[in-house]
Amino acid sequence: MVTGQWYHIAVVRSSGVTRLYVNGVANATTYTDTNDYGVSSQFTIGGAGDSLGAAGTFTNGHISDVRVTKSAVYSSAFTPPTSPLSLINNTTMLLSFTNAKIIDQTSSMNISTFSGAKLSTSQEQFGTSSILLNGTTDYISQVGQSPGFGKGDFTIECWIF
């Protein structure tokens, strides 16, 4: 990846195999995934780790157009979307960061920002803004129950800059 460029990222689990797609091209590595991602799992965007503030890994840059579905949206190479992501069957979260708000357009989750995560109009893929993360402490997370994929299929996709 090159700094200063938008990339469409999709993580897709289908029939117990997880693949990473970058700009519609599958990474050659696959992961046999037997994990149970139940509703007790915390779902975060831009931060990961056992203790987010202490042992986490954080995104440094902009994220736009986040969609989470309880289905495998992609099964082979594809052309990345050329317009904002929309609600499709089995969508459990959709964040477009439009209208100066960080809200889930499915109305199923409350979203909170942590540290300095905020909307930024300096970069946008679609619309007027994206979420800006500093790479050390910023992230956003759902409040309450996570999407709860269990051991089923899912797709998590977004644009990153």
Side-chain angles (χ1 to χ4, degrees):
M1 294 182 148
V2 176
T3 300
Q5 184 174 324
W6 283 102
Y7 291 91
H8 181 264
I9 305 296
V11 177
V12 180
R13 179 163 76 177
S14 177
S15 301
V17 175
T18 301
R19 289 181 175 79
L20 170 68
Y21 292 87
V22 177
N23 288 338
V25 178
N27 181 304
T29 304
T30 60
Y31 169 60
T32 301
D33 190 352
T34 59
N35 293 312
D36 184 346
Y37 301 103
V39 294
S40 63
S41 302
Q42 183 181 22
F43 189 82
T44 63
I45 298 167
D50 295 332
S51 173
L52 286 172
T57 302
F58 297 91
T59 301
N60 183 11
H62 297 262
I63 297 178
S64 180
D65 241 21
V66 178
R67 180 170 62 193
V68 179
T69 60
K70 286 187 175 183
S71 61
V73 175
Y74 309 108
S75 59
S76 61
F78 62 93
T79 300
T82 57
S83 60
L85 295 172
S86 61
L87 291 171
I88 60 172
N89 195 29
N90 298 315
T91 300
T92 59
M93 179 188 288
L94 180 62
L95 306 173
S96 63
F97 310 121
T98 58
N99 301 322
K101 296 178 183 175
I102 301 173
I103 60 168
D104 175 22
Q105 293 178 331
T106 68
S107 299
S108 62
M109 288 189 218
N110 292 321
I111 305 297
S112 287
T113 61
F114 293 88
S115 293
K118 61 184 175 187
L119 287 177
S120 169
T121 57
S122 66
Q123 290 293 331
E124 73 282 334
Q125 177 61 8
F126 303 112
T128 58
S129 61
S130 61
I131 188 111
L132 176 60
L133 305 169
N134 69 5
T136 57
T137 57
D138 297 351
Y139 66 99
I140 61 177
S141 180
Q142 100 288 346
V143 176
Q145 288 190 337
S146 74
F149 305 122
K151 292 187 174 191
D153 295 348
F154 65 78
T155 301
I156 302 169
E157 65 182 307
C158 67
W159 288 89
I160 64 167
F161 183 89

